[in-house]
Amino acid sequence: MKKIILSISLVFAFGNNAFSQCEDPVTLPYMEDAESAALPQLPDCMYSSYLTFASSEIFQTTAGPVEGFSGNVFMYDTSINDMMPEGIGVASTLASGPITLNEGSSYRVSYKYGMSNPEGVIGIIRVMMTRSLNDYIYLPEQENVPAGTSSTFTSEPFTVEETDIYYLTIEVHLLGNQGFLYFDDIILEETPTASVQENALKNLMVYPNPVKNEINLANFTGADNAMIYTITGQLVLSQQVTENTSHINTESLSAGIYLLKVNSGTAEKTIKIIKE
């Protein structure tokens, strides 16, 4: 699959045709942490565009090390073009490939963000589920976000009115010449129904992480199953967990990034794990 990087003028020109080369929707939970990227390009089926004439920079990937992050990260250079005045704003988008969302289900988005500038501030972080050029679902914006240290944001649950294919899009606006902006661990997952079981997973501990041969689950009650997925959504390991402390053998897993999902009735908790 081929990656496409578009300026905003081309986005308006081509609309949804820009996404036609990545037609197969991924399954949830969707997670992207740039580990599959051929640096400095974006991972397959991800896209970036610039939104102002002050800067033609778009999101790329870098290996770091970046303080507060691990492994590869998404990076946006906030430098402004020559001849532009100081104090002018820059903006860019980072978008996923196709994801199927269902009417009646509840979802949430989370991501990690930060900046190289200890005094860095992001004016707006806008998250949308895009279905077509003129059809967006906007989540509540973050405004004037201090980003000098890495932080993780989790949205409130949201729903869609129709079952369809959507694209998760993160749009950022900020003053230029603030150094580098970073994103990582972008996750879209179904929100479990609030229940007694959900409280059973509230204090779940997973260790060690990174893991070599065995991962431990502790400080939970009433869990049913633990499942490990690749970041593309493929189930690679499933195990029942019925005790307060449980052990999962991970020797068969190749080194890389995985998502551990623990179920307790209708409640679920998803945790990123690293296999060494």
Side-chain angles (χ1 to χ4, degrees):
M1 291 176 287
K2 186 177 180 181
K3 295 174 284 295
I4 306 173
I5 297 173
L6 301 172
S7 71
I8 190 62
S9 60
L10 290 179
V11 170
F12 287 135
F14 293 112
N16 275 1
N17 291 334
F19 301 106
S20 63
Q21 297 184 53
C22 293
E23 296 178 346
D24 297 330
V26 299
T27 57
L28 295 182
Y30 169 82
M31 190 270 193
E32 187 55 75
D33 58 4
E35 295 302 322
S36 65
L39 306 178
Q41 299 180 65
L42 295 177
D44 286 339
C45 296
M46 291 197 75
Y47 311 86
S48 184
S49 62
Y50 60 88
L51 303 179
T52 71
F53 292 108
S55 172
S56 57
E57 295 289 339
I58 48 93
F59 276 95
Q60 296 181 307
T61 53
T62 184
V66 175
E67 185 174 356
F69 296 82
S70 61
N72 296 349
V73 297
F74 298 100
M75 180 182 72
Y76 174 64
D77 186 348
T78 66
S79 298
I80 61 176
N81 293 332
D82 293 341
M83 307 301 291
M84 288 290 176
E86 286 294 328
I88 197 168
V90 295
S92 184
T93 62
L94 181 63
S96 74
I99 304 169
T100 300
L101 299 183
N102 297 310
E103 177 186 358
S105 296
S106 179
Y107 303 94
R108 64 186 172 201
V109 173
S110 63
Y111 48 82
K112 192 173 186 178
Y113 63 91
M115 296 187 70
S116 61
N117 182 349
E119 305 298 324
V121 175
I122 307 170
I124 295 175
I125 304 177
R126 179 179 294 138
V127 178
M128 354 172 221
M129 301 307 304
T130 307
R131 188 164 59 163
S132 68
L133 189 60
N134 298 309
D135 190 355
Y136 304 92
I137 298 173
Y138 288 98
L139 277 60
E141 297 176 354
Q142 290 179 272
E143 297 183 351
N144 299 319
V145 184
T149 57
S150 61
S151 301
T152 298
F153 172 80
T154 302
S155 74
E156 292 297 321
F158 67 94
T159 58
V160 296
E161 295 182 356
E162 296 182 38
T163 297
D164 206 341
I165 293 175
Y166 296 81
Y167 299 85
L168 169 60
T169 304
I170 299 175
E171 181 180 307
V172 293
H173 297 255
L174 67 167
L175 289 177
N177 290 341
Q178 291 194 77
F180 295 104
L181 168 64
Y182 303 108
F183 275 84
D184 199 11
D185 297 342
I186 301 170
I187 297 175
L188 171 59
E189 60 184 342
E190 192 168 349
T191 306
T193 304
S195 64
V196 174
Q197 286 90 357
E198 189 169 10
N199 292 328
L201 301 178
K202 183 177 181 180
N203 298 315
L204 173 68
M205 296 175 57
V206 176
Y207 64 94
N209 192 10
V211 58
K212 290 186 178 179
N213 299 320
E214 186 177 78
I215 195 164
N216 302 299
L217 278 60
N219 203 24
F220 66 91
T221 57
D224 301 320
N225 295 288
M227 294 165 286
I228 297 179
Y229 293 84
T230 66
I231 60 174
T232 59
Q234 179 184 0
L235 177 65
V236 292
L237 194 153
S238 179
Q239 178 178 317
Q240 287 188 327
V241 287
T242 56
E243 301 177 2
N244 184 258
T245 301
S246 188
H247 312 283
I248 301 175
N249 189 311
T250 57
E251 288 182 330
S252 63
L253 299 181
S254 302
I257 308 295
Y258 295 88
L259 296 178
L260 170 66
K261 180 189 288 187
V262 182
N263 294 333
S264 178
T266 58
E268 297 177 349
K269 188 165 186 177
T270 301
I271 299 169
K272 171 186 170 182
I273 61 172
I274 301 173
K275 174 62 164 59
E276 293 182 334

